[in-house]
Amino acid sequence: MNHQLQGPVTLATDGLPPGPPKVSPGCDVCAALSRQWRHATDPHGPAHDPSHATDLAVGIGRHPHGRKRTP
């Protein structure tokens, strides 16, 4: 059985926008997550962790900013 890949491989991070996540102005939660994201994406910093940076970006994007959550 031949199991060769056909076409390009798509990584989970391909769906994320490039650059820093967009934060809501005046939101303390977004500001804190954004600081953590900057530390996690600094390749020369002690907190460099691309996986954690992705999690933080998703958290910022999903933060409700006053929107009601549906159960």
Side-chain angles (χ1 to χ4, degrees), residues 26-60:
C27 178
D28 292 338
V29 172
C30 281
L33 292 173
S34 179
R35 280 191 298 275
Q36 292 177 44
W37 180 87
R38 284 194 308 274
H39 291 298
T41 57
D42 178 1
H44 303 292
H48 182 244
D49 184 345
S51 177
H52 185 56
T54 299
D55 293 342
L56 291 164
V58 169
I60 292 169

